[in-house]
Amino acid sequence: MFAMRKSLVFILIVFLIFFLTIFAQEQEEDREAIFAQKRQSMVVNQLQNRDIIDSKVLQAMLTVPRHQFVDERIKESAYNDYPLAIGEGQTISQPYIVALMTQLLELKGGERVLEIGTGSGYQAAVLAEIVEEVYTVEIYESLSKKSEKLIKDLGYRNIHFKIGDGYYGWEEYAPYDAIIVTCAPDYIPPQLLQQIRDDGGRIVIPVGGIWMAQTLMKIEKIRGEVKSTGIIGVRFVPMIGHSR
Ligand code: SAH
């Protein structure tokens, strides 16, 4: 009799665990579905309603789970129209700025791109959805390590991480088809200009001092000649290290 009661309790516990697991899974799936909806409206309202028309960029922004790149307590705001804190006093750019900078790189697929300022890894993931290989340099070891782990967990295999001062680029894999800089130096680091292809290489970079207005610039090298265009006024965290 006692043995029977014991096995009844055991069966009940097993059932309880089973149902609780199913319940938790469903809750998680509901939450992911809500994030997917938010992501979709972000793409329509913040990107398409402005001037983002590159279908590869729109598709990448629709795919990358931006909420995974921020802390649990701010996940709900991940798809809002503003930048978010990612630790070490750094920020992940507003979705529109990520999309605009990616669009300015004029990627066709198959390129090798260098990013300066890995931060959360979000911009790198957006690039990795479009191009062949992404190389990304971050000056804070803690941010680089955290981002590398997340990127691997999300299944990206084409993003390569380096800890160091991005002022010097990443010589080893140069020349790149394109370079994107997500922190603002006072001037364009000469090494970055050297590390893009001589014909058709491009850089998208915010330039300006800490207390000065910054301009998002697009630099292109055409048959060795450098052409630069100012795009819009922006506010990025400063590039630290050599450039200060
Ligand atoms: N692209 C990031 C946004 C990063 S914010 C994202 O999608 O989340 C800018 C980043 O540039 C910060 O992480 C900052 O630590 C980094 N940074 C600043 N100066 C740097 C330098 N000299 N070299 C490399 N990274 C730098």
Side-chain angles (χ1 to χ4, degrees):
M1 190 65 194
F2 182 65
M4 214 170 102
R5 206 182 290 163
K6 240 169 107 179
S7 48
L8 207 65
V9 170
F10 178 72
I11 290 169
L12 269 173
I13 290 174
V14 169
F15 266 101
L16 198 66
I17 291 174
F18 177 73
F19 284 117
L20 279 177
T21 315
I22 299 267
F23 181 69
Q25 258 172 12
E26 274 180 7
Q27 285 243 310
E28 192 49 38
E29 278 167 23
D30 286 352
R31 203 166 171 230
E32 284 303 313
I34 292 169
F35 283 131
Q37 270 170 16
K38 286 189 179 194
R39 194 154 60 239
Q40 171 119 36
S41 36
M42 167 196 87
V43 168
V44 174
N45 301 326
Q46 300 171 37
L47 311 184
Q48 288 181 302
N49 273 357
R50 291 185 180 137
D51 52 357
I52 306 302
I53 52 168
D54 184 329
S55 58
K56 286 184 294 313
V57 176
L58 293 168
Q59 187 55 46
M61 299 289 293
L62 199 57
T63 309
V64 180
R66 182 171 160 98
H67 62 281
Q68 305 277 17
F69 292 81
V70 297
D71 279 355
E72 186 60 43
R73 67 192 164 79
I74 53 168
K75 273 195 164 55
E76 303 300 326
S77 323
Y79 296 98
N80 295 356
D81 198 11
Y82 45 73
L84 298 163
I86 53 167
E88 305 284 5
Q90 305 301 326
T91 55
I92 166 174
S93 303
Q94 174 193 4
Y96 171 68
I97 294 294
V98 173
L100 177 67
M101 291 176 80
T102 313
Q103 177 166 273
L104 285 167
L105 293 174
E106 292 181 49
L107 303 165
K108 304 274 175 286
E111 290 92 347
R112 286 155 17 86
V113 178
L114 172 67
E115 178 195 28
I116 306 301
T118 313
S120 69
Y122 176 68
Q123 173 76 70
V126 169
L127 291 167
E129 291 286 338
I130 304 173
V131 304
E132 189 93 14
E133 302 295 337
V134 178
Y135 299 84
T136 183
V137 183
E138 168 59 51
I139 204 161
Y140 283 107
E141 183 176 353
S142 58
L143 289 178
S144 181
K145 288 264 180 284
K146 191 173 166 194
S147 152
E148 184 169 8
K149 181 177 182 314
L150 174 66
I151 286 286
K152 296 273 140 73
D153 289 349
L154 289 175
Y156 291 96
R157 296 283 172 267
N158 57 342
I159 307 180
H160 314 278
F161 295 80
K162 178 182 165 138
I163 299 161
D165 187 345
Y167 176 87
Y168 303 102
W170 191 348
E171 181 75 56
E172 206 179 337
Y173 299 101
Y176 301 95
D177 297 294
I179 299 182
I180 179 169
V181 183
T182 65
C183 46
D186 288 346
Y187 57 94
I188 297 160
Q191 280 86 341
L192 298 187
L193 270 177
Q194 283 160 14
Q195 291 178 22
I196 51 170
R197 270 198 291 122
D198 272 343
D199 198 17
R202 54 256 183 221
I203 305 179
V204 171
I205 179 170
V207 183
I210 305 185
W211 306 113
M212 281 154 46
Q214 299 168 359
T215 308
L216 187 64
M217 310 276 298
K218 178 171 179 177
I219 320 291
E220 290 165 275
K221 243 200 223 172
I222 303 157
R223 278 175 243 105
E225 294 270 308
V226 176
K227 181 185 142 203
S228 50
T229 320
I231 309 289
I232 51 166
V234 284
R235 244 183 100 170
F236 274 78
V237 295
M239 179 182 274
I240 54 174
H242 176 95
S243 71
R244 298 285 161 206

